[in-house]
Amino acid sequence: MTDAEKAALEKSPLGDRLIALIKARGPITIADYMADALGHPHDGYYSARPAIGAAGDFTTAPEISQVFGELIGVWLVQSWLEMGSPSSFNLVELGPGRGVLMSDVLRASAIRPGFSNAASVMLVEASGRLRHDQERRLRATSAHISWADSFSECAGGPTLVIANEFFDCLPIRQFVRSESGWRERLVGLDDTGEGLAFTLAATPPEATPLPDKKDVAVGSVIEISDASASLASEIAQHLQKHTGRALIIDYGHAGHGSGDTLQAVRNHAFWPPLSAPGLADLTAHVDFAAISRAAVENGVGVHGPATQGAFLQRMGLTMRVEALAAGKNAEGQAEIHAGALRLASERQMGSVFKALCLSSHELPPPPGFETP
Ligand code: SAH
């Protein structure tokens, strides 16, 4: 049996319950499937086993190199200065993982000690386990830290928001251009009735803004994330009212038409998205155009997306890497250079990952997004 066949047969408690539910009530949307597979309070991936880092299921930029969080720290300090150095402001991180990014940000922000004294750090985190990791890693910092279930808990006042690999966890729906027009792709049962499989809705979707079917080839897939658009709207409204910026970094595309990007990852390898839900991480590419639209409609400016590589270079990647490498032995220097290359090179994370900034209109253009 191949690894893929074995994976397809693997069971999980959440998978068994979803199979029973679909038997009783019919197929569910991919958005509902993702929300359960990631967020189920007991068996969802983020409550049961979020495993970030080399020993886990997937690695993220702050886990690869401290330079990532330090340059974002510089970006945040500069944004705070451009906001007039408010004596108190909200520093919000969405989905802080193991707290590595925030810890690097706060260390780098020591270049302006007023920054961390003024910051009320709010960590929006669904996973109890990861909250625990964050608390341990950030215990030593002097900044005031609190946790929240959602951005809506953010208090009024000037606000800076960061989100690295957060929007890719938010549920998406998929629509397929079939011979007879648009149909939603759903999660149903396979031929045996004992496993999950994709299926198409029998009737056209209602009230969903999709391109004219005449303009799209049969078989094309479009993804829509209502959760991303409504979160982007909420953040934009907050920034418009209270002043501030949000920096969103994720892998994704700048327009529609990228097809099916739903993917699962387990132990650093791709995993069939419908196998053993709750045991694998599940994500989709971020639609930066949709986030930008939601932001503009709610009264803030949008800058980018810039590729992660270009953004980091403009924030001073080369200089920071040289400074870190100085004084290290050859092995240490090689490690620092390899980490930076992985973050910024086009063939690795540098071009598929992108940075987008939402910024209230009274602020100047943000650093890192200057056109070359
Ligand atoms: N930013 C971190 C972790 C990325 S993984 C890093 O770069 O390393 C995604 C993070 O978002 C995890 O912390 C996960 O628990 C959290 N998360 C995912 N969906 C969430 C939701 N709906 N609400 C709150 N946190 C969520």
Side-chain angles (χ1 to χ4, degrees), residues 26-311:
I28 59 174
T29 65
I30 291 177
D32 287 344
Y33 175 77
M34 274 183 93
D36 244 14
L38 292 174
H40 185 278
H42 189 256
D43 293 320
Y45 181 74
Y46 283 121
S47 50
R49 45 170 286 152
I52 306 171
D57 291 312
F58 63 96
T59 289
T60 58
E63 302 272 344
I64 291 169
S65 169
Q66 70 184 78
V67 173
F68 183 79
E70 290 171 351
L71 295 176
I72 290 180
V74 171
W75 187 91
L76 289 164
V77 168
Q78 205 163 324
S79 294
W80 175 70
L81 292 171
E82 286 169 359
M83 283 155 67
S85 316
S87 59
S88 78
F89 74 103
N90 301 307
L91 175 55
V92 181
E93 182 173 1
L94 306 176
R98 301 201 302 173
V100 177
L101 174 56
M102 186 53 76
S103 147
D104 293 341
V105 160
L106 292 174
R107 193 183 56 253
S109 78
I111 46 169
R112 294 285 169 150
F115 177 90
S116 64
N117 293 333
S120 287
V121 179
M122 182 175 105
L123 303 177
V124 176
E125 177 55 66
S127 159
R129 283 172 187 238
L130 288 177
R131 281 188 185 202
H132 184 68
D133 287 355
Q134 293 153 16
E135 199 274 321
R136 269 204 324 223
R137 181 158 277 112
L138 296 168
R139 202 173 279 166
T141 67
S142 58
H144 175 264
I145 301 191
S146 65
W147 278 264
D149 292 327
S150 75
F151 178 77
S152 60
E153 292 173 43
C154 186
T159 299
L160 292 170
V161 183
I162 45 170
N164 185 58
E165 292 210 42
F166 176 78
F167 278 80
D168 64 343
C169 307
L170 299 181
I172 54 144
R173 293 166 73 188
Q174 288 187 337
F175 299 89
V176 180
R177 164 68 164 98
S178 73
E179 293 287 355
S180 38
W182 290 106
R183 294 288 182 271
E184 182 157 10
R185 197 165 177 226
L186 301 171
V187 178
L189 299 180
D190 65 13
D191 294 341
T192 68
E194 303 303 325
L196 298 171
F198 290 111
T199 174
L200 286 190
T203 51
E206 278 167 31
T208 308
L210 292 162
D212 193 319
K213 65 181 182 191
K214 289 195 302 297
D215 302 332
V216 181
V218 170
S220 303
V221 177
I222 277 189
E223 296 180 338
I224 293 183
S225 175
D226 294 331
S228 291
S230 67
L231 177 60
S233 304
E234 196 184 343
I235 294 172
Q237 281 165 21
H238 187 94
L239 299 179
Q240 194 269 338
K241 188 163 168 205
H242 298 287
T243 311
R245 285 185 182 146
L247 179 65
I248 298 168
I249 303 184
D250 227 307
Y251 54 119
H253 46 85
H256 272 325
S258 65
D260 169 14
T261 72
L262 182 69
Q263 69 178 39
V265 166
R266 192 179 180 193
N267 297 328
H268 296 275
F270 289 115
W271 178 259
L274 299 187
S275 283
L279 302 187
D281 187 37
L282 202 55
T283 59
H285 282 206
V286 169
D287 181 349
F288 284 104
I291 293 179
S292 302
R293 259 194 321 275
V296 168
E297 279 164 12
N298 286 283
V300 298
V302 171
H303 304 267
T307 64
Q308 174 169 297
F311 173 76

